[in-house]
Amino acid sequence: MTRVASEQAPRGGFPAAGRFPVWLYVPAGLGAAVLLLPLAALLLRLDWAGVPAAITSPEALQALGLSLTTAAWATLVCVLLGVPLALVIARSRPGPASALRTLVTLPLVLPPLVGGIALLSLLGRTGLLGEALAVWGIRIPFTTAAVVIAQVFVALPFLVISVEGALRTAGTRFEGVAAGLGAGRFTVFRRITLPLVAPGLLAGAVLCFARALGEFGATALFAGNAAGTTRTMPLAIYTAFNGAGVSEDTAIALSLMLIAVAVAVLVLMRGWRADAPR
């Protein structure tokens, strides 16, 4: 028995080699190449000497500042809305919870442009709520607020999924004990529930920020591409490769910055995993 266990889990905790056909390395290598070669080509094409000047150009700084600001606001809105929504889903019965979960995750599988059309249908000049808002002189599309709304629409599912998973893992035992000792519902939520789901909340917030930072499709359709108002980093990159705005070198440098953010998110997420090597 000990010998079998030793063969299955050799020194270092890694599975024993040779447990799958060797030829699987070929499609595995091709899959890795599909993912990594485009990024490698981007890095090789980058003019590293010109990166500082490209990143610090007025257009790039403007797009970067707008992206960071709107992504931060979108993350804050997602936290304020997503935590209660995740709590409702996690504490609902299986049927309603499944229906809510499906609706919440729908933006993850929708093409981003469909999200932009949906937002225009709701808040556009002739939209469901847009006409009523226009009466009060409120116009949302093609403003900075529209950027934040588009980012919230595409990023909110990441936070809800993370927090809901943390809530289901934590269970309700500690909440029940606190309630039995006389704690009110808000006290239980503030002193018990939130601390228990803090790792999931942090992970969801980081994912939410990264997704908002890289949002393009819904933003382009709902908010437009006005420099200084709605032109975020992804839109600046797109604009550069269409012959306007920042230079192509700046676009590649901004692409590198988005890749760096994505890598940072993955590193942070790995650090929060309970089974991550220490």
Side-chain angles (χ1 to χ4, degrees):
M1 185 71 177
T2 304
R3 181 178 178 183
V4 173
S6 176
E7 290 177 353
Q8 292 178 346
R11 184 180 304 174
F14 295 100
R19 300 305 185 192
F20 55 87
V22 176
W23 59 266
L24 288 177
Y25 280 107
V26 176
L30 290 175
V34 167
L35 298 174
L36 298 178
L37 285 180
L39 300 178
L42 177 66
L43 296 178
L44 290 174
R45 187 178 178 183
L46 185 63
D47 179 15
W48 292 94
V51 166
I55 292 178
T56 56
S57 66
E59 298 86 354
L61 290 176
Q62 190 177 62
L64 175 61
L66 182 63
S67 290
L68 293 175
T69 302
T70 55
W73 277 108
T75 302
L76 177 61
V77 174
C78 286
V79 169
L80 294 176
L81 302 180
V83 173
L85 181 55
L87 185 60
V88 170
I89 295 175
R91 299 295 185 254
S92 296
R93 289 176 296 180
S98 178
L100 282 172
R101 193 179 301 110
T102 300
L103 293 175
V104 167
T105 55
L106 190 58
L108 294 178
V109 296
L110 284 177
L113 290 178
V114 174
I117 294 174
L119 290 172
L120 281 174
S121 300
L122 178 66
L123 298 171
R125 185 177 59 182
T126 59
L128 189 62
L129 297 180
E131 288 184 326
L133 293 174
V135 173
W136 295 92
I138 300 174
R139 183 180 66 88
I140 294 179
F142 310 109
T143 64
T144 304
V147 176
V148 176
I149 293 172
Q151 291 173 342
V152 169
F153 179 79
V154 299
L156 183 59
F158 290 92
L159 188 130
V160 174
I161 291 172
S162 297
V163 175
E164 189 213 348
L167 284 166
R168 290 188 175 276
T169 301
T172 59
R173 182 165 62 93
F174 294 106
E175 295 174 348
V177 171
L181 293 174
R185 293 187 178 186
F186 182 72
T187 300
V188 171
F189 174 73
R190 180 173 57 90
R191 301 292 296 273
I192 305 297
T193 306
L194 284 181
L196 284 175
V197 302
L201 176 57
L202 287 173
V206 171
L207 280 174
C208 192
F209 180 81
R211 179 64 185 90
L213 199 63
E215 161 53 25
F216 171 76
T219 303
L221 201 58
F222 181 55
N225 187 17
T229 304
T230 62
R231 182 174 294 168
T232 57
M233 289 174 64
L235 286 165
I237 295 170
Y238 174 80
T239 302
F241 279 99
N242 279 275
V246 299
S247 67
E248 185 172 321
D249 288 339
T250 301
I252 297 176
L254 290 174
S255 300
L256 178 64
M257 293 178 66
L258 288 178
I259 293 174
V261 170
V263 171
V265 169
L266 292 176
V267 171
L268 288 172
M269 290 296 298
R270 182 174 177 80
W272 284 323
R273 285 178 51 192
D275 60 341
R278 296 290 186 260

